[in-house]
Amino acid sequence: MNDKTINYAELADRVIKKLKDRTEKKTVEMKFVNKVPGLLESKIGGIPFIPQGGEWPLDKITGKKLYLLIQINFAEVPALPDYPKKGILQIFIADDDMYGMDVKVGQYQDGWRIRFYEDISDPLPVEEIQKMMPKYDETACLPFEQADSSCGIVFEERSMLISTEDYKFDSMFDEIMRSELPEDELLGEC
């Protein structure tokens, strides 16, 4: 046994610092706020941005109108590497129990749709968009109460470390522990 007493609090601090130095990433957290967002604002549900000449997305199989699930205006999002600095991303879903997703071939967008508009300078008037929207059906299976109900989204910059659930965590933790502890203190695999 090593004569040097291990200070486990200091060891934990060193291990956490190494994990932080290797894995800390800038992230953005979405928070939902109880406010009625404007046409160009980020939101869950509600009235989406549609450009002049744009059409409402339809379910390719049923022909029914899709519902806006989320709209993100990247001008409201703190800058992240490899993400747009402006423009609107939208996800539309069907009103079925799988929201239009094909579980066999997940990338098929027959019953759901993703849209991105870089230029949002020329929207249709809200009144015209409302006329295009699907009529709400009480039997619809949707994550919100009405087709035009919505809540706003605000974004906050955060940082995140590797999760213990990440497949790389165990080997990274083991490597760090082996570098921090004397050989005779290691108890097999960490």
Side-chain angles (χ1 to χ4, degrees):
M1 188 77 165
N2 192 333
D3 289 337
K4 185 178 175 187
T5 303
I6 296 173
N7 181 324
Y8 289 102
E10 289 177 6
L11 173 65
D13 287 342
R14 289 193 313 270
V15 168
I16 291 168
K17 182 179 181 332
K18 284 187 175 186
L19 284 170
K20 184 176 181 178
D21 290 347
R22 289 187 188 185
T23 69
E24 187 173 33
K25 300 268 190 263
K26 182 178 166 183
T27 63
V28 172
E29 180 180 345
M30 284 193 307
K31 291 188 175 185
F32 305 118
V33 292
N34 189 15
K35 75 168 201 153
V36 178
L39 182 65
L40 300 178
E41 291 183 292
S42 299
K43 63 185 96 181
I44 298 289
I47 302 169
F49 161 81
I50 295 184
Q52 290 291 332
E55 296 181 1
W56 197 272
L58 303 175
D59 184 313
K60 290 181 182 177
I61 296 170
T62 66
K64 292 171 63 175
K65 293 180 178 183
L66 299 174
Y67 293 85
L68 177 68
L69 174 63
I70 189 168
Q71 173 172 291
I72 297 173
N73 184 334
F74 282 100
E76 300 171 349
V77 178
L80 286 172
D82 303 319
Y83 280 81
K85 308 272 185 280
K86 65 177 187 167
I88 284 182
L89 173 75
Q90 299 169 326
I91 300 176
F92 288 85
I93 57 173
D95 66 350
D96 59 35
D97 59 351
M98 293 298 291
Y99 305 127
M101 186 176 139
D102 183 331
V103 293
K104 293 180 184 160
V105 188
Q107 71 269 22
Y108 284 173
Q109 288 192 34
D110 292 338
W112 59 280
R113 198 87 65 252
I114 295 177
R115 288 183 165 178
F116 179 75
Y117 299 100
E118 187 171 9
D119 180 8
I120 59 171
S121 64
D122 195 18
L124 281 173
V126 170
E127 300 74 28
E128 286 186 42
I129 297 171
Q130 286 174 314
K131 290 175 189 173
M132 299 169 81
M133 291 180 70
K135 302 289 183 249
Y136 185 72
D137 177 356
E138 294 287 329
T139 63
C141 182
L142 292 168
F144 36 78
E145 293 179 15
Q146 299 287 327
D148 61 351
S149 65
S150 64
C151 74
I153 302 173
V154 294
F155 302 92
E156 292 182 8
E157 192 173 309
R158 298 270 190 248
S159 63
M160 178 182 266
L161 303 181
I162 191 171
S163 163
T164 57
E165 302 299 316
D166 191 296
Y167 77 97
K168 297 176 189 175
F169 179 83
D170 288 342
S171 62
M172 188 180 298
F173 184 76
D174 184 51
E175 176 189 331
I176 291 170
M177 290 301 290
R178 287 180 187 284
S179 73
E180 289 293 326
L181 286 173
E183 190 67 34
D184 61 346
E185 289 293 325
L186 295 172
L187 302 173
E189 292 296 314
C190 292

